[in-house]
Coordinates of all heavy atoms in Angstrom, one line a residue:
P54 N -7.8 -12.9 -11.2 CA -6.3 -13.1 -11.1 C -5.9 -14.4 -10.5 O -6.6 -15.0 -9.5 CB -6.0 -11.9 -10.1 CG -7.2 -11.6 -9.4 CD -8.3 -12.0 -10.3
A55 N -4.8 -15.0 -10.8 CA -4.4 -16.2 -10.3 C -3.6 -16.1 -9.0 O -3.5 -17.1 -8.3 CB -3.3 -16.9 -11.4
M56 N -3.1 -14.9 -8.8 CA -2.3 -14.7 -7.4 C -2.5 -13.3 -7.0 O -2.9 -12.4 -7.7 CB -0.8 -15.1 -7.7 CG -0.2 -14.3 -8.7 SD 1.5 -15.0 -8.9 CE 2.4 -13.5 -8.9
M57 N -2.2 -13.1 -5.8 CA -2.2 -11.8 -5.2 C -1.1 -10.9 -5.8 O 0.0 -11.3 -5.9 CB -2.1 -11.9 -3.7 CG -2.2 -10.5 -2.9 SD -2.1 -10.7 -1.1 CE -0.4 -11.1 -0.8
T58 N -1.4 -9.6 -6.2 CA -0.4 -8.7 -6.8 C -0.6 -7.4 -6.1 O -1.6 -7.0 -5.6 CB -0.6 -8.6 -8.2 OG1 -1.8 -8.0 -8.5 CG2 -0.3 -9.9 -9.0
L59 N 0.6 -6.7 -6.1 CA 0.7 -5.3 -5.5 C 1.4 -4.5 -6.6 O 2.5 -4.8 -7.0 CB 1.5 -5.3 -4.2 CG 1.6 -3.9 -3.5 CD1 0.2 -3.4 -3.1 CD2 2.5 -4.1 -2.2
E60 N 0.7 -3.5 -7.1 CA 1.3 -2.6 -8.1 C 2.1 -1.5 -7.6 O 1.8 -1.1 -6.4 CB 0.1 -2.2 -9.0 CG -0.6 -3.1 -9.8 CD -1.6 -2.6 -10.7 OE1 -1.6 -1.5 -11.1 OE2 -2.6 -3.4 -10.9
Q61 N 3.0 -0.9 -8.4 CA 3.7 0.3 -7.9 C 2.7 1.5 -7.8 O 1.8 1.6 -8.7 CB 4.8 0.6 -9.0 CG 5.7 1.7 -8.6 CD 6.5 1.4 -7.3 OE1 7.2 0.4 -7.3 NE2 6.5 2.2 -6.4
N62 N 2.9 2.2 -6.8 CA 2.0 3.3 -6.6 C 2.2 4.4 -7.7 O 3.2 4.4 -8.4 CB 2.2 4.0 -5.2 CG 3.7 4.6 -5.2 OD1 4.7 3.9 -5.3 ND2 3.7 6.0 -4.9
Y63 N 1.1 5.2 -7.9 CA 1.2 6.2 -9.0 C 0.5 7.4 -8.5 O -0.6 7.4 -7.9 CB 0.5 5.7 -10.2 CG 0.6 6.7 -11.4 CD1 1.7 6.8 -12.1 CD2 -0.5 7.7 -11.6 CE1 1.8 7.8 -13.1 CE2 -0.4 8.6 -12.5 CZ 0.8 8.7 -13.4 OH 0.8 9.6 -14.3
P64 N 1.1 8.7 -8.6 CA 2.5 8.8 -9.1 C 3.4 8.4 -8.1 O 3.3 8.3 -6.8 CB 2.6 10.3 -9.5 CG 1.6 10.9 -8.5 CD 0.5 9.9 -8.3
N65 N 4.7 8.3 -8.5 CA 5.9 8.0 -7.7 C 7.1 8.6 -8.2 O 7.4 8.2 -9.3 CB 6.1 6.5 -7.4 CG 7.1 6.2 -6.4 OD1 7.2 6.9 -5.4 ND2 7.8 5.1 -6.5
P66 N 7.7 9.6 -7.6 CA 7.5 10.3 -6.4 C 6.2 11.0 -6.4 O 5.6 11.3 -7.4 CB 8.6 11.2 -6.2 CG 9.7 10.9 -7.1 CD 9.0 10.1 -8.3
F67 N 5.6 11.2 -5.2 CA 4.3 11.9 -5.1 C 4.3 13.0 -4.0 O 5.1 13.1 -3.1 CB 3.3 10.8 -4.7 CG 3.4 10.3 -3.2 CD1 2.6 10.8 -2.2 CD2 4.2 9.3 -3.0 CE1 2.7 10.3 -1.0 CE2 4.4 8.8 -1.7 CZ 3.6 9.3 -0.6
N68 N 3.3 13.9 -4.2 CA 3.0 14.9 -3.2 C 1.7 15.6 -3.5 O 1.5 16.0 -4.7 CB 4.1 16.0 -3.2 CG 3.8 17.1 -2.2 OD1 3.3 16.9 -1.3 ND2 4.5 18.3 -2.5
P69 N 0.7 15.5 -2.7 CA 0.7 15.0 -1.3 C 0.0 13.7 -1.3 O -0.1 13.1 -0.3 CB -0.2 16.0 -0.7 CG -1.2 16.4 -1.8 CD -0.5 16.4 -3.1
S70 N -0.5 13.1 -2.4 CA -1.3 11.8 -2.4 C -0.8 10.9 -3.5 O -0.4 11.4 -4.6 CB -2.7 12.0 -2.3 OG -3.2 12.6 -3.5
T71 N -1.2 9.7 -3.4 CA -0.8 8.7 -4.3 C -1.8 7.5 -4.3 O -2.4 7.3 -3.2 CB 0.6 8.1 -4.1 OG1 1.0 7.3 -5.3 CG2 0.8 7.3 -2.9
T72 N -2.0 6.8 -5.3 CA -2.9 5.7 -5.4 C -2.1 4.4 -5.5 O -1.1 4.2 -6.2 CB -3.7 5.8 -6.7 OG1 -4.4 7.0 -6.7 CG2 -4.7 4.7 -6.8
I73 N -2.6 3.4 -4.6 CA -2.0 2.0 -4.6 C -3.1 1.2 -5.0 O -4.2 1.1 -4.5 CB -1.6 1.8 -3.1 CG1 -0.5 2.7 -2.6 CG2 -1.1 0.3 -3.0 CD1 -0.3 2.6 -1.2
R74 N -2.7 0.2 -6.1 CA -3.6 -0.7 -6.5 C -3.1 -2.2 -6.2 O -1.9 -2.4 -6.3 CB -3.7 -0.5 -8.0 CG -4.5 0.7 -8.5 CD -4.7 0.8 -10.0 NE -5.5 1.8 -10.3 CZ -5.1 3.2 -10.5 NH1 -3.8 3.4 -10.2 NH2 -6.0 4.1 -10.8
Y75 N -4.0 -3.1 -6.0 CA -3.7 -4.5 -5.8 C -4.9 -5.4 -6.3 O -6.0 -5.0 -6.4 CB -3.3 -4.7 -4.3 CG -4.5 -4.3 -3.3 CD1 -5.3 -5.3 -2.8 CD2 -4.6 -2.9 -2.9 CE1 -6.4 -4.9 -2.0 CE2 -5.6 -2.6 -2.0 CZ -6.5 -3.6 -1.6 OH -7.6 -3.1 -0.8
T76 N -4.5 -6.7 -6.4 CA -5.5 -7.6 -6.8 C -5.4 -8.8 -5.9 O -4.4 -9.2 -5.4 CB -5.3 -8.2 -8.3 OG1 -4.0 -8.7 -8.4 CG2 -5.5 -7.0 -9.3
L77 N -6.7 -9.4 -5.7 CA -6.7 -10.6 -4.8 C -7.4 -11.7 -5.7 O -8.3 -11.5 -6.3 CB -7.6 -10.3 -3.6 CG -7.3 -9.2 -2.8 CD1 -8.3 -8.8 -1.7 CD2 -5.9 -9.4 -2.1
P78 N -6.9 -12.9 -5.6 CA -7.4 -14.1 -6.4 C -8.6 -14.6 -5.7 O -9.4 -15.3 -6.4 CB -6.2 -15.1 -6.3 CG -5.5 -14.8 -5.0 CD -5.6 -13.3 -4.9
E79 N -8.9 -14.4 -4.5 CA -10.0 -14.9 -3.7 C -10.4 -14.0 -2.6 O -9.5 -13.1 -2.2 CB -9.8 -16.4 -3.2 CG -8.6 -16.4 -2.3 CD -8.2 -17.8 -1.9 OE1 -8.5 -18.7 -2.8 OE2 -7.5 -18.0 -0.9
R80 N -11.6 -14.1 -2.0 CA -12.0 -13.3 -0.8 C -11.0 -13.7 0.3 O -10.6 -14.8 0.6 CB -13.4 -13.8 -0.5 CG -14.0 -13.0 0.7 CD -15.4 -13.3 0.9 NE -15.9 -12.8 2.2 CZ -16.5 -11.5 2.2 NH1 -16.5 -10.8 1.2 NH2 -16.9 -11.1 3.4
A81 N -10.5 -12.5 1.0 CA -9.5 -12.8 1.9 C -9.5 -11.7 3.0 O -9.8 -10.6 2.7 CB -8.1 -12.9 1.3
D82 N -8.8 -12.0 4.1 CA -8.6 -10.9 5.1 C -7.3 -10.3 4.7 O -6.3 -11.0 4.6 CB -8.5 -11.5 6.5 CG -9.7 -12.1 7.0 OD1 -10.8 -11.6 6.7 OD2 -9.7 -13.1 7.8
I83 N -7.3 -9.0 4.5 CA -6.0 -8.3 4.1 C -5.6 -7.2 5.0 O -6.6 -6.5 5.7 CB -6.1 -7.8 2.6 CG1 -7.2 -6.7 2.4 CG2 -6.4 -9.0 1.7 CD1 -6.5 -5.6 1.7
T84 N -4.4 -6.8 5.0 CA -3.9 -5.5 5.6 C -3.1 -4.8 4.6 O -2.2 -5.5 4.0 CB -3.2 -5.9 6.9 OG1 -4.0 -6.6 7.8 CG2 -2.5 -4.7 7.6
L85 N -3.3 -3.6 4.4 CA -2.5 -2.7 3.7 C -1.9 -1.6 4.5 O -2.8 -0.8 5.0 CB -3.2 -2.2 2.4 CG -2.4 -1.3 1.5 CD1 -1.2 -2.0 0.8 CD2 -3.3 -0.7 0.4
R86 N -0.8 -1.5 4.7 CA -0.2 -0.4 5.6 C 1.1 0.3 5.0 O 1.7 -0.3 4.1 CB 0.2 -0.9 6.9 CG 1.3 -2.0 7.0 CD 1.4 -2.7 8.3 NE 2.7 -3.5 8.3 CZ 3.5 -3.6 9.3 NH1 3.1 -3.1 10.5 NH2 4.6 -4.3 9.2
V87 N 1.3 1.4 5.5 CA 2.6 2.2 5.1 C 3.5 2.3 6.3 O 3.0 2.5 7.4 CB 2.2 3.7 4.7 CG1 3.5 4.4 4.4 CG2 1.2 3.6 3.5
V88 N 4.8 1.9 6.1 CA 5.8 1.9 7.1 C 7.0 2.8 6.6 O 7.1 3.0 5.4 CB 6.3 0.5 7.5 CG1 5.1 -0.2 8.0 CG2 7.0 -0.1 6.3
D89 N 7.7 3.4 7.6 CA 8.9 4.1 7.2 C 10.1 3.1 7.1 O 9.9 2.0 7.2 CB 9.1 5.2 8.3 CG 9.5 4.6 9.7 OD1 9.8 3.5 9.9 OD2 9.4 5.5 10.6
A90 N 11.3 3.7 6.8 CA 12.4 2.9 6.6 C 12.9 2.0 7.7 O 13.5 1.0 7.5 CB 13.7 3.8 6.2
I91 N 12.5 2.3 8.9 CA 12.9 1.4 10.0 C 11.7 0.6 10.6 O 11.8 -0.1 11.6 CB 13.5 2.2 11.2 CG1 12.6 3.2 11.7 CG2 14.9 2.8 10.8 CD1 13.1 4.0 13.0
G92 N 10.7 0.6 9.8 CA 9.5 -0.4 10.1 C 8.4 0.2 11.0 O 7.4 -0.5 11.3
N93 N 8.5 1.5 11.3 CA 7.4 2.1 12.1 C 6.2 2.3 11.3 O 6.3 2.8 10.1 CB 7.8 3.4 12.6 CG 8.9 3.3 13.7 OD1 9.0 2.4 14.5 ND2 9.9 4.2 13.6
E94 N 5.0 1.9 11.7 CA 3.8 2.1 11.0 C 3.4 3.5 10.9 O 3.3 4.2 11.9 CB 2.6 1.3 11.7 CG 1.4 1.2 10.7 CD 0.3 0.4 11.3 OE1 0.5 -0.9 11.3 OE2 -0.7 1.0 11.7
I95 N 3.2 4.0 9.7 CA 2.8 5.4 9.4 C 1.3 5.6 9.2 O 0.7 6.4 9.7 CB 3.5 5.9 8.2 CG1 5.0 5.9 8.3 CG2 3.1 7.3 7.9 CD1 5.6 6.6 9.5
A96 N 0.7 4.6 8.5 CA -0.7 4.5 8.2 C -1.1 3.1 8.0 O -0.5 2.3 7.4 CB -1.0 5.4 7.1
M97 N -2.4 2.8 8.5 CA -3.2 1.6 8.2 C -4.2 2.0 7.2 O -5.1 2.8 7.5 CB -3.8 1.0 9.4 CG -4.6 -0.2 9.2 SD -3.7 -1.6 8.7 CE -2.7 -2.0 10.2
L98 N -4.0 1.5 5.9 CA -4.9 1.9 4.9 C -6.1 1.0 4.7 O -7.2 1.4 4.4 CB -4.2 2.0 3.5 CG -3.0 2.9 3.5 CD1 -2.2 2.8 2.1 CD2 -3.4 4.3 3.8
V99 N -5.9 -0.3 4.9 CA -7.0 -1.3 4.8 C -6.7 -2.4 5.8 O -5.5 -2.8 6.0 CB -7.0 -1.9 3.4 CG1 -8.2 -3.0 3.3 CG2 -7.2 -0.9 2.2
N100 N -7.7 -2.8 6.6 CA -7.6 -3.9 7.5 C -9.0 -4.6 7.6 O -9.8 -4.4 8.5 CB -7.1 -3.5 8.9 CG -6.9 -4.6 9.7 OD1 -6.6 -5.7 9.3 ND2 -6.7 -4.3 11.1
K101 N -9.4 -5.4 6.6 CA -10.6 -6.0 6.6 C -10.7 -7.2 5.6 O -9.7 -7.3 4.8 CB -11.7 -5.0 6.2 CG -11.6 -4.4 4.8 CD -12.6 -3.3 4.5 CE -12.4 -2.7 3.1 NZ -13.5 -1.8 2.9
T102 N -11.7 -7.8 5.5 CA -12.0 -8.8 4.4 C -12.4 -8.2 3.2 O -13.3 -7.3 3.2 CB -13.1 -9.9 5.0 OG1 -12.6 -10.4 6.2 CG2 -13.3 -11.0 3.9
Q103 N -11.9 -8.5 2.0 CA -12.2 -8.0 0.7 C -12.5 -9.1 -0.2 O -11.9 -10.3 -0.2 CB -11.1 -7.1 0.2 CG -11.1 -5.8 1.0 CD -10.3 -4.7 0.2 OE1 -9.1 -5.0 -0.1 NE2 -10.8 -3.6 0.1
D104 N -13.3 -8.9 -1.3 CA -13.7 -9.8 -2.3 C -12.5 -10.0 -3.3 O -11.7 -9.1 -3.4 CB -15.0 -9.4 -3.0 CG -16.2 -9.6 -2.1 OD1 -16.2 -10.5 -1.3 OD2 -17.2 -8.8 -2.3
A105 N -12.5 -11.0 -4.0 CA -11.5 -11.2 -5.1 C -11.7 -10.1 -6.2 O -12.8 -9.5 -6.3 CB -11.7 -12.5 -5.8
G106 N -10.6 -9.7 -6.8 CA -10.6 -8.7 -7.8 C -9.6 -7.6 -7.6 O -8.8 -7.8 -6.8
S107 N -9.8 -6.5 -8.4 CA -8.9 -5.4 -8.3 C -9.3 -4.4 -7.4 O -10.6 -4.2 -7.3 CB -8.8 -4.7 -9.7 OG -8.2 -5.6 -10.6
H108 N -8.5 -3.8 -6.6 CA -8.9 -2.8 -5.5 C -7.9 -1.7 -5.6 O -6.7 -1.8 -6.1 CB -8.8 -3.5 -4.1 CG -9.7 -4.6 -4.0 ND1 -11.0 -4.4 -3.6 CD2 -9.5 -5.9 -4.2 CE1 -11.6 -5.7 -3.5 NE2 -10.6 -6.5 -3.9
S109 N -8.2 -0.5 -5.2 CA -7.4 0.7 -5.1 C -7.6 1.5 -3.9 O -8.8 1.5 -3.3 CB -7.3 1.5 -6.3 OG -8.6 2.2 -6.5
V110 N -6.6 2.1 -3.3 CA -6.8 3.1 -2.2 C -5.9 4.2 -2.4 O -4.8 4.1 -3.0 CB -6.4 2.3 -0.8 CG1 -5.0 1.8 -0.8 CG2 -6.8 3.1 0.4
T111 N -6.3 5.4 -1.8 CA -5.5 6.6 -1.9 C -4.9 6.8 -0.6 O -5.5 6.8 0.4 CB -6.4 7.8 -2.4 OG1 -6.9 7.6 -3.6 CG2 -5.5 9.1 -2.4
F112 N -3.5 7.0 -0.7 CA -2.8 7.4 0.5 C -2.5 8.9 0.5 O -1.8 9.4 -0.4 CB -1.5 6.6 0.6 CG -0.5 7.1 1.7 CD1 -1.0 7.1 3.0 CD2 0.7 7.4 1.4 CE1 0.0 7.4 4.0 CE2 1.7 7.8 2.4 CZ 1.2 7.8 3.7
S113 N -2.8 9.6 1.6 CA -2.5 11.0 1.7 C -1.5 11.2 2.7 O -1.6 10.8 3.9 CB -3.8 11.8 2.1 OG -3.5 13.1 2.3
A114 N -0.3 11.9 2.3 CA 0.8 12.0 3.2 C 0.9 13.4 3.9 O 1.9 13.8 4.3 CB 2.1 11.9 2.4
D115 N -0.3 13.9 4.2 CA -0.4 15.1 5.0 C 0.3 14.9 6.4 O -0.1 13.9 7.0 CB -1.8 15.6 5.2 CG -2.4 16.1 3.8 OD1 -1.6 16.5 3.0 OD2 -3.7 16.0 3.7
G116 N 1.1 15.7 6.8 CA 1.7 15.6 8.2 C 2.8 14.8 8.3 O 3.4 14.6 9.5
I117 N 3.4 14.1 7.2 CA 4.6 13.4 7.4 C 5.7 14.0 6.5 O 5.4 14.5 5.5 CB 4.4 11.8 7.0 CG1 4.0 11.6 5.6 CG2 3.3 11.2 8.0 CD1 3.9 10.1 5.3
P118 N 6.9 13.8 6.9 CA 8.0 14.4 6.2 C 8.4 13.7 4.9 O 8.0 12.5 4.7 CB 9.3 14.3 7.2 CG 8.9 13.1 8.1 CD 7.4 13.1 8.2
S119 N 9.1 14.3 4.1 CA 9.6 13.8 2.8 C 10.5 12.6 3.1 O 11.2 12.5 4.2 CB 10.4 14.8 2.0 OG 9.6 15.8 1.6
G120 N 10.6 11.6 2.2 CA 11.4 10.5 2.3 C 10.9 9.3 1.7 O 9.9 9.3 0.9
M121 N 11.6 8.2 1.9 CA 11.2 6.9 1.3 C 10.3 6.1 2.4 O 10.7 6.1 3.6 CB 12.5 6.1 1.0 CG 12.1 4.8 0.3 SD 13.5 3.7 -0.1 CE 14.6 4.8 -0.8
Y122 N 9.3 5.6 1.8 CA 8.4 4.8 2.6 C 8.1 3.4 1.9 O 8.4 3.4 0.7 CB 7.0 5.6 2.8 CG 7.3 6.8 3.7 CD1 7.6 8.1 3.1 CD2 7.2 6.7 5.0 CE1 7.8 9.2 3.9 CE2 7.4 7.9 5.8 CZ 7.7 9.1 5.3 OH 8.0 10.1 6.0
F123 N 7.5 2.6 2.6 CA 7.2 1.3 2.0 C 5.8 1.0 2.3 O 5.3 1.4 3.4 CB 8.0 0.1 2.7 CG 9.5 0.4 2.5 CD1 10.3 1.1 3.3 CD2 10.1 -0.2 1.3 CE1 11.7 1.3 3.1 CE2 11.4 0.0 1.1 CZ 12.2 0.7 1.9
Y124 N 5.0 0.4 1.4 CA 3.7 -0.1 1.6 C 3.6 -1.7 1.5 O 4.4 -2.2 0.6 CB 2.7 0.6 0.7 CG 2.9 0.6 -0.7 CD1 2.2 -0.3 -1.6 CD2 3.8 1.4 -1.4 CE1 2.4 -0.3 -2.9 CE2 4.0 1.3 -2.7 CZ 3.3 0.5 -3.4 OH 3.5 0.5 -4.9
Q125 N 2.9 -2.3 2.4 CA 2.9 -3.7 2.5 C 1.5 -4.2 2.5 O 0.5 -3.6 3.1 CB 3.5 -4.1 3.8 CG 4.9 -3.7 4.0 CD 5.4 -4.1 5.4 OE1 4.8 -4.1 6.4 NE2 6.7 -4.6 5.4
L126 N 1.3 -5.2 1.7 CA 0.0 -6.0 1.6 C 0.2 -7.3 2.2 O 1.1 -8.1 1.8 CB -0.4 -6.1 0.1 CG -1.6 -6.9 -0.2 CD1 -2.9 -6.2 0.3 CD2 -1.8 -7.0 -1.7
L127 N -0.6 -7.6 3.1 CA -0.4 -8.8 3.9 C -1.8 -9.6 3.8 O -2.8 -9.0 4.1 CB -0.1 -8.6 5.4 CG 1.2 -7.8 5.7 CD1 0.9 -6.4 5.8 CD2 1.7 -8.3 7.0
S128 N -1.6 -10.9 3.5 CA -2.9 -11.8 3.4 C -2.4 -13.2 3.4 O -1.5 -13.6 2.7 CB -3.6 -11.5 2.2 OG -4.8 -12.3 2.1
N129 N -3.1 -14.1 4.2 CA -2.9 -15.5 4.2 C -1.4 -15.9 4.3 O -1.0 -16.8 3.7 CB -3.5 -16.2 3.0 CG -5.0 -16.0 2.9 OD1 -5.6 -16.0 4.0 ND2 -5.5 -15.9 1.8
G130 N -0.6 -15.3 5.2 CA 0.8 -15.5 5.4 C 1.7 -15.0 4.3 O 2.9 -15.2 4.3
T131 N 1.2 -14.3 3.4 CA 2.1 -13.7 2.3 C 2.1 -12.2 2.5 O 1.2 -11.5 2.8 CB 1.4 -14.0 0.9 OG1 1.2 -15.4 0.7 CG2 2.2 -13.4 -0.2
T132 N 3.4 -11.7 2.4 CA 3.5 -10.2 2.4 C 4.3 -9.7 1.1 O 5.3 -10.2 0.8 CB 4.5 -9.9 3.6 OG1 3.9 -10.3 4.8 CG2 4.6 -8.4 3.7
L133 N 3.6 -8.8 0.5 CA 4.1 -8.1 -0.7 C 4.5 -6.7 -0.3 O 3.7 -6.0 0.4 CB 3.3 -8.0 -1.9 CG 2.7 -9.4 -2.3 CD1 1.6 -9.2 -3.5 CD2 3.8 -10.3 -2.9
T134 N 5.7 -6.2 -0.6 CA 6.2 -4.9 -0.3 C 6.7 -4.1 -1.5 O 7.4 -4.6 -2.3 CB 7.3 -5.0 0.8 OG1 6.8 -5.7 1.9 CG2 7.7 -3.6 1.3
K135 N 6.4 -2.8 -1.5 CA 6.9 -1.8 -2.6 C 7.4 -0.7 -1.8 O 6.9 -0.3 -0.8 CB 5.9 -1.6 -3.6 CG 5.3 -2.7 -4.3 CD 6.0 -3.0 -5.6 CE 5.4 -4.0 -6.4 NZ 5.9 -4.3 -7.6
Q136 N 8.3 0.2 -2.5 CA 8.7 1.4 -1.9 C 8.1 2.6 -2.7 O 7.8 2.4 -3.9 CB 10.3 1.4 -1.9 CG 10.9 1.6 -3.3 CD 12.4 1.7 -3.1 OE1 12.9 1.1 -2.2 NE2 13.0 2.3 -4.1
M137 N 8.0 3.7 -2.1 CA 7.5 4.9 -2.6 C 8.2 6.1 -2.0 O 8.8 6.0 -0.9 CB 6.0 5.0 -2.5 CG 5.6 5.2 -1.0 SD 3.8 5.1 -1.0 CE 3.4 4.9 0.7
V138 N 8.3 7.2 -2.8 CA 9.1 8.4 -2.3 C 8.1 9.5 -2.3 O 7.4 9.9 -3.2 CB 10.2 8.7 -3.3 CG1 10.9 9.9 -2.9 CG2 11.2 7.5 -3.4
L139 N 8.1 10.2 -1.0 CA 7.4 11.4 -0.8 C 8.3 12.5 -1.0 O 9.3 12.7 -0.3 CB 6.7 11.4 0.5 CG 6.0 12.7 1.0 CD1 4.9 13.1 0.1 CD2 5.6 12.4 2.4
M140 N 8.0 13.4 -1.9 CA 8.8 14.7 -2.1 C 7.9 15.9 -1.9 O 7.1 16.1 -2.7 CB 9.5 14.7 -3.5 CG 10.4 13.6 -3.6 SD 11.2 13.6 -5.3 CE 12.3 15.0 -5.1
K141 N 8.2 16.7 -0.9 CA 7.5 17.9 -0.5 C 8.2 19.1 -0.9 O 9.4 19.1 -1.0 CB 7.0 17.9 0.9 CG 6.0 16.9 1.3 CD 5.6 17.2 2.7 CE 4.4 16.2 3.0 NZ 3.9 16.4 4.3

């Protein structure tokens, strides 16, 4: 891939889990986290160095209420954000 990308989670809306896919153009330190509407961190999904290529992670929303959440991919000073909806 030529640049870092963050895909829309699937399924969306979801209950109780969803898959988040992203691609990296080169080996990089990345953080993938879920936050609520006011920015409180709900879950840290990835916080490590990963190789270039496509990656995916499953987010399980057990124990959190229905609502809109955001997931953020951070790497090398770039932040990509998408929204997702949990419906229980």
Side-chain angles (χ1 to χ4, degrees):
M56 58 188 225
M57 183 172 74
T58 61
L59 180 61
E60 296 179 23
Q61 186 63 52
N62 65 301
Y63 182 82
N65 189 32
F67 70 98
N68 180 24
S70 65
T71 189
T72 300
I73 299 169
R74 291 184 172 84
Y75 56 95
T76 57
L77 304 174
E79 60 189 21
R80 184 175 171 87
D82 295 330
I83 67 125
T84 300
L85 179 62
R86 64 186 191 146
V87 176
V88 297
D89 64 15
I91 59 173
N93 295 319
E94 186 175 295
I95 302 301
M97 178 68 67
L98 303 177
V99 180
N100 188 17
K101 64 181 180 179
T102 302
Q103 288 192 310
D104 290 329
S107 297
H108 302 273
S109 67
V110 64
T111 300
F112 170 58
S113 178
D115 293 332
I117 64 173
S119 296
M121 184 182 311
Y122 294 90
F123 299 88
Y124 53 103
Q125 299 178 321
L126 178 64
L127 300 90
S128 179
N129 296 330
T131 300
T132 302
L133 301 175
T134 304
K135 299 266 186 180
Q136 70 180 26
M137 60 184 168
V138 177
L139 171 60
M140 294 182 73
K141 291 189 174 182

